[in-house]
Amino acid sequence: MRYLAIDRIMSKDNLIESSARISKVLKKIISDRNELSAEESQKIDELEKDIIKESVFRLVSVRTPIEEFTPVKFDMIFDYENLNDTETVNLTVSHILLRNYYLMQFPLGHHCEIIVSFESGKPKLFEKLMTDDYDSIKIGFCNQSDWKNIKNQLMESKVEFEKWKIKQNIKKS
């Protein structure tokens, strides 16, 4: 099952604040360019241009459950709290940043910044995302072909979590 769990959107103001870090990442990569493949070098050039576009968003992906190379395409967004609330989109994850590293592939099990773009406007479900601050997982990205299995797995996980919470409360009593 391929999906990403997203907990926040990073504002353009935050981009200015974090630009020193991103710039440091890019400068390090650029200084090592002779070790980069042509594809990696091209991706760095794209990031420098993409990061300031209005149609591009920086998000935080939580405990990434996939290990795919960019670009990664998804065609659906879902509300993590209300799994019946979904939205059809044409979304591309084009860049991945993990702390001070630019990655060509998702890091399995890690939080990372992802740079995404949409063919048409900002999705409605983005309104659920906190800006710059962590709250909890709010939305997810997946493909419609995987949705039934993902939804079932997430529902089972929520039921198991509720059972666990009840057991914890009984033990405290």
Side-chain angles (χ1 to χ4, degrees):
M1 284 186 296
R2 303 173 57 237
Y3 74 94
L4 294 178
I6 308 298
D7 73 0
R8 65 185 166 264
I9 189 169
M10 306 301 283
S11 68
K12 297 292 181 182
D13 291 340
N14 179 281
L15 173 61
I16 293 166
E17 293 171 18
S18 64
S19 64
R21 179 181 59 85
I22 293 172
S23 178
K24 181 180 174 183
V25 170
L26 294 175
K27 283 179 184 177
K28 180 184 179 334
I29 293 168
I30 290 167
S31 71
D32 297 337
R33 245 180 217 238
N34 57 346
E35 298 173 19
L36 293 179
S37 69
E39 181 185 13
E40 289 169 321
S41 183
Q42 180 182 357
K43 293 290 282 178
I44 299 302
D45 291 340
E46 288 173 12
L47 174 60
E48 290 175 299
K49 294 172 189 160
D50 287 350
I51 202 85
I52 58 171
K53 291 180 182 174
E54 286 299 315
S55 62
V56 172
F57 300 91
R58 288 174 48 233
L59 307 172
V60 177
S61 176
V62 182
R63 296 182 303 273
T64 308
I66 60 175
E67 289 183 291
E68 293 189 35
F69 287 90
T70 56
V72 180
K73 296 195 176 282
F74 294 103
D75 63 13
M76 186 175 155
I77 297 178
F78 60 92
D79 183 329
Y80 214 79
E81 295 164 349
N82 176 5
L83 298 176
N84 293 317
D85 191 2
T86 63
E87 192 172 349
T88 301
V89 295
N90 190 348
L91 171 147
T92 302
V93 178
S94 52
H95 307 284
I96 304 165
L97 299 170
L98 177 63
R99 293 188 246 351
N100 293 330
Y101 299 97
Y102 181 89
L103 304 175
M104 298 285 289
Q105 180 180 13
F106 278 103
L108 185 63
H110 290 276
H111 288 44
C112 56
E113 282 181 49
I114 60 174
I115 312 302
V116 302
S117 60
F118 298 90
E119 285 194 13
S120 60
K122 184 177 179 179
K124 181 181 165 215
L125 282 172
F126 266 38
E127 293 171 11
K128 297 196 169 279
L129 293 172
M130 298 289 292
T131 302
D132 296 330
D133 293 317
Y134 171 78
D135 181 32
S136 61
I137 297 171
K138 296 295 184 185
I139 63 173
F141 301 151
C142 69
N143 285 310
Q144 293 176 17
S145 59
D146 297 327
W147 177 234
K148 183 179 176 184
N149 291 333
I150 292 167
K151 183 177 180 180
N152 288 338
Q153 180 187 21
L154 291 175
M155 288 172 56
E156 287 175 25
S157 177
K158 287 179 181 195
V159 168
E160 291 302 316
F161 181 68
E162 291 303 317
K163 287 179 185 177
W164 177 83
K165 283 187 351 187
I166 291 168
K167 285 182 184 178
Q168 296 306 308
N169 286 337
I170 291 172
K171 287 180 184 179
K172 290 179 183 179
S173 300

